[in-house]
Amino acid sequence: MLPCSAVSVCHVLMLVLRLSAAEDFDWTKSDHGSFYYGTFPAGFSWGAGSSAYQTEGAWDQDGKGLSIWDMFSHEKGRIQQNETGDSSCEGYYKVKDDISLMKELRLNHYRFSISWPRIIPTGIKSDHINEKGIQHYSQLIDHLLENKITPIVTLYHWDLPQVLQEKYGGWQNISMVNHFNEFANLCFERFGNRVKHWLTFDNPWSVAVEGYETGEHAPGLRLKGTGAYRAAHHIIKAHAKVWHTYDTHWRGKQRGLIGISLLGDWGEPVDISNQQDIEAAERYVQFYLGWFATPLFHGDYPQVMKDFIGRKSVQHGHGTSRLPTFSPQEKSYIKGTCDFLGIGHYTTRYITQKYTPPGRSSTYFTDRDLAELVDPLWPDPGSEWLYSVPWGFRRLLNFVKTHYGNPMIYVTENGVSEKMLCTELCDEWRIQYYKDYINEMLKAIKDGVHVKGYTAWSLLDKFEWDEGYSERFGLYYVDFRNKNKPRYPKASVQFYKRIISSNGFPNQREVENWRRKSLETCSSSNQLLAAEEQRSTAANILRLIHDPLASHMRW
């Protein structure tokens, strides 16, 4: 079933690509021979995820401080339809309800983030610790464990305390390293006896590029050519310091693991026989995933980043490279600070060489000397950037295996959105997406990639940053127009639940039966939701009619 609204035009150039090797990778063809039926290793962990600002709501309750996203979303024109995460899913008040959804899915783990300003309102530990915030997360962790669901906790999912942005300039300032370390140390102290899987940062690429280069995300700065590199430099140092703090003070007694969640799209050469396209495609991945992964595994930035940014800096009259450098001591300190690697992945691009003339202004994007292309045949049900290209997932996972010594991997984000004007719980396109992407992950495991777990993104529909509520990634539909924010299962809930129960894909007949039954189930859910929305609409109309009358009677 197709989404109900058209998708806006993609920013990247769309071309019909005719590649000699395209037949090997074109998942859109009904070639069942390319699907691998089999199961995942015993003990493989299945989960779903969320983040604090996107789901919690309660933005100013129980002593929570302001975050940069509270401020950013309250500025007119920043978010679609000027929406905010002020109430979002009201997850702060629905912990037990949402854990019951996780039990229904039979999840092994749940990934969530801790709001830094909820437990340290100013971001500065010596100012004040908010015990109500500590209590909230402590109860969440306890309820998860009581239900045999492992917590995987992200320390930073973009919601920097606003005071740190105003006082120091946020991640542009080296002082963030120590403040973040103090916050992390507090989390280890209060929650580390129960949490054994920590992620320092979620998708630092977006924090750096969209927060400090393009200004699309909070704090909304446009420091082109320098801001993203400086922010990333401090984030990498902050991650390393937190790893060492845990390693020195907590690992012996808590026996946990420290990782990071990096987002990576795959880049495939347009012409696989053209050396320039091959190099451009690798450069695309190195400027994306490698920017952060290479320092953590090898101690320094990818050589291609140092070469390209350094050369372009000189061309524009800079005395030194716009890409900061690590000292020999810092390289040694940073290298090896990743117990496991979280990988977030959604989509793929075809990449070709594109030379940027020296006269153009320097930005992260022009530094790469490449163009991103998409095949118009790739399905794109929701976000304008998200095309369903499953075969890219296997390639990305194998890239990680090859370049970083086959580390332990948890897939920390993978999923697809819809951008719809009407309510639809029969999300057949999401079922197809999960089926194909999870299968490519299974193939990667057969290739020898050390993948230990998978996190569907996301458990609930939620606030989608600058897109507001216009896009929905959830397995569960959230009715944001209803003040109680009720949740309704989409068809993909039943399908994902069956993958989890079977630990993979037993055989073709059974998997096709899962799809059929999932879509049958959602029809009744659709009717229930439609009836609920009609009641809600009628109540709103009556309120509009009667409120003026009631006001008149009071006079």
Side-chain angles (χ1 to χ4, degrees):
M1 183 175 296
L2 294 173
C4 301
S5 68
V7 181
S8 54
V9 178
C10 185
H11 289 310
V12 297
L13 176 64
M14 297 184 66
L15 294 177
V16 178
L17 302 169
R18 301 185 180 279
L19 304 183
S20 58
E23 292 293 326
D24 296 334
F25 311 122
D26 188 0
W27 77 276
T28 58
K29 295 189 176 180
S30 298
D31 180 8
H32 293 293
S34 66
F35 194 88
Y36 180 82
Y37 290 96
T39 56
F40 286 80
F44 190 83
S45 186
W46 297 96
S50 72
S51 81
Y53 185 75
Q54 290 180 285
T55 59
E56 283 182 356
W59 72 287
D60 61 351
Q61 297 299 302
D62 289 346
K64 177 186 167 293
L66 290 175
S67 77
I68 56 174
W69 272 96
D70 292 321
M71 297 298 291
F72 188 77
S73 65
H74 287 178
E75 294 177 18
K76 298 298 182 186
R78 292 289 199 177
I79 312 296
Q80 276 205 26
Q81 298 183 24
N82 292 316
E83 292 167 326
T84 74
D86 289 0
S87 58
S88 189
C89 306
E90 298 285 16
Y92 185 76
Y93 304 108
K94 290 179 170 287
V95 169
K96 290 185 177 179
D97 292 345
D98 288 340
I99 289 176
S100 71
L101 303 182
M102 300 174 210
K103 285 184 68 179
E104 167 63 20
L105 269 169
R106 301 178 186 173
L107 297 186
N108 305 123
H109 72 260
Y110 177 57
R111 181 192 168 200
F112 66 93
S113 74
I114 292 174
S115 169
W116 186 349
R118 195 175 291 285
I119 68 171
I120 305 178
T122 66
I124 301 169
K125 185 182 174 185
S126 59
D127 285 352
H128 175 61
I129 294 172
N130 180 27
E131 292 297 335
K132 285 188 176 179
I134 297 280
Q135 183 182 20
H136 166 74
Y137 293 112
S138 189
Q139 290 175 347
L140 168 58
I141 292 164
D142 285 344
H143 289 316
L144 287 169
L145 293 172
E146 286 165 9
N147 287 280
K148 297 181 172 54
I149 299 169
T150 298
I152 296 181
V153 179
T154 309
L155 290 168
Y156 188 84
H157 204 126
W158 307 3
D159 46 356
L160 183 76
Q162 177 65 19
V163 169
L164 295 181
Q165 185 63 42
E166 292 177 355
K167 192 170 183 178
Y168 301 107
W171 290 108
Q172 292 297 292
N173 194 304
I174 190 65
S175 66
M176 292 303 99
V177 174
N178 286 331
H179 288 305
F180 182 67
N181 186 61
E182 288 187 346
F183 161 61
N185 193 56
L186 176 63
C187 291
F188 300 151
E189 177 189 333
R190 298 300 187 92
F191 312 126
N193 61 329
R194 291 159 290 163
V195 174
K196 305 304 175 186
H197 295 79
W198 296 95
L199 295 162
T200 53
F201 291 89
D202 174 81
N203 186 9
W205 184 93
S206 282
V207 176
V209 174
E210 294 174 313
Y212 295 91
E213 168 99 15
T214 68
E216 297 167 88
H217 285 184
L221 300 182
R222 294 181 174 87
L223 308 173
K224 293 189 175 181
T226 60
Y229 298 134
R230 189 180 299 113
H233 201 66
H234 296 149
I235 287 170
I236 291 165
K237 289 183 177 183
H239 164 87
K241 180 149 192 170
V242 167
W243 186 92
H244 281 285
T245 293
Y246 190 84
D247 196 52
T248 302
H249 300 291
W250 300 105
R251 192 186 300 275
K253 47 191 158 187
Q254 294 182 355
R255 306 290 178 184
L257 300 172
I258 304 291
I260 189 170
S261 178
L262 303 181
L263 193 69
D265 292 346
W266 178 243
E268 185 79 2
V270 164
D271 183 351
I272 60 171
S273 66
N274 183 309
Q275 186 61 29
Q276 286 190 330
D277 281 3
I278 292 170
E279 291 174 1
E282 173 146 354
R283 196 159 63 245
Y284 174 80
V285 179
Q286 291 288 7
F287 265 76
Y288 208 143
L289 177 72
W291 185 3
F292 300 92
T294 306
L296 302 187
F297 286 95
H298 300 305
D300 201 0
Y301 291 118
Q303 189 62 44
V304 70
M305 289 189 73
K306 295 194 288 184
D307 291 346
F308 270 65
I309 299 166
R311 185 178 69 250
K312 287 174 178 287
S313 297
V314 171
Q315 288 173 352
H316 285 85
H318 296 274
T320 58
S321 176
R322 288 175 284 106
L323 181 69
T325 58
F326 295 114
S327 70
Q329 294 79 12
E330 287 172 336
K331 291 176 184 178
S332 177
Y333 187 76
I334 291 165
K335 183 179 178 180
T337 56
C338 204
D339 301 326
F340 70 97
L341 181 60
I343 290 290
H345 175 76
Y346 292 93
T347 192
T348 285
R349 293 289 185 267
Y350 280 117
I351 305 296
T352 188
Q353 167 80 14
K354 180 186 177 183
Y355 178 66
T356 305
R360 288 192 59 183
S361 62
S362 298
T363 70
Y364 162 84
F365 297 99
T366 60
D367 283 341
R368 304 177 304 167
D369 273 358
L370 56 85
E372 303 175 37
L373 315 173
V374 300
D375 187 331
L377 296 178
W378 289 344
D380 58 337
S383 304
E384 63 186 12
W385 54 271
L386 207 172
Y387 294 80
S388 183
V389 195
W391 51 261
F393 193 18
R394 182 182 184 183
R395 282 159 178 70
L396 182 74
L397 292 171
N398 273 281
F399 178 93
V400 171
K401 173 191 173 188
T402 301
H403 284 74
Y404 306 120
N406 201 15
M408 183 195 307
I409 293 172
Y410 278 83
V411 174
T412 42
E413 286 184 41
N414 179 241
V416 67
S417 61
E418 70 261 22
K419 202 176 185 82
M420 306 180 68
L421 298 177
C422 57
T423 301
E424 180 54 81
L425 299 180
C426 297
D427 54 345
E428 188 173 2
W429 64 91
R430 184 172 286 108
I431 288 174
Q432 187 67 40
Y433 182 98
Y434 277 131
K435 173 175 176 264
D436 292 336
Y437 272 75
I438 291 172
N439 195 249
E440 291 297 317
M441 177 177 63
L442 178 58
K443 292 177 188 176
I445 291 173
K446 298 298 179 185
D447 297 335
V449 183
H450 192 198
V451 184
K452 298 285 287 182
Y454 174 85
T455 309
W457 196 264
S458 52
L459 181 70
L460 306 173
D461 290 338
K462 59 199 182 306
F463 180 82
E464 290 300 335
W465 310 113
D466 56 316
E467 298 295 335
Y469 298 99
S470 67
E471 298 179 1
R472 293 176 176 268
F473 276 84
L475 290 158
Y476 287 88
Y477 177 94
V478 178
D479 184 358
F480 295 109
R481 291 172 293 185
N482 186 320
K483 67 178 182 179
N484 295 318
K485 310 297 173 69
R487 287 83 156 116
Y488 299 88
K490 301 176 188 177
S492 52
V493 165
Q494 293 302 318
F495 190 80
Y496 185 43
K497 178 180 176 180
R498 285 175 167 85
I499 293 175
I500 294 171
S501 297
S502 299
N503 200 33
F505 307 96
N507 57 69
Q508 183 176 341
R509 173 182 281 185
E510 193 162 346
V511 172
E512 288 176 353
N513 195 39
W514 294 350
R515 174 195 290 269
R516 181 179 56 80
K517 288 186 175 179
S518 298
L519 294 171
E520 286 173 357
T521 304
C522 76
S523 297
S524 58
S525 298
N526 255 346
Q527 293 172 3
L528 175 65
L529 177 56
E532 197 62 43
E533 289 184 329
Q534 286 177 356
R535 280 194 290 271
S536 178
T537 301
N540 287 335
I541 291 171
L542 286 172
R543 197 156 43 243
L544 287 171
I545 292 171
H546 290 298
D547 277 354
L549 291 176
S551 176
H552 177 73
M553 289 174 67
R554 283 195 297 271
W555 284 98

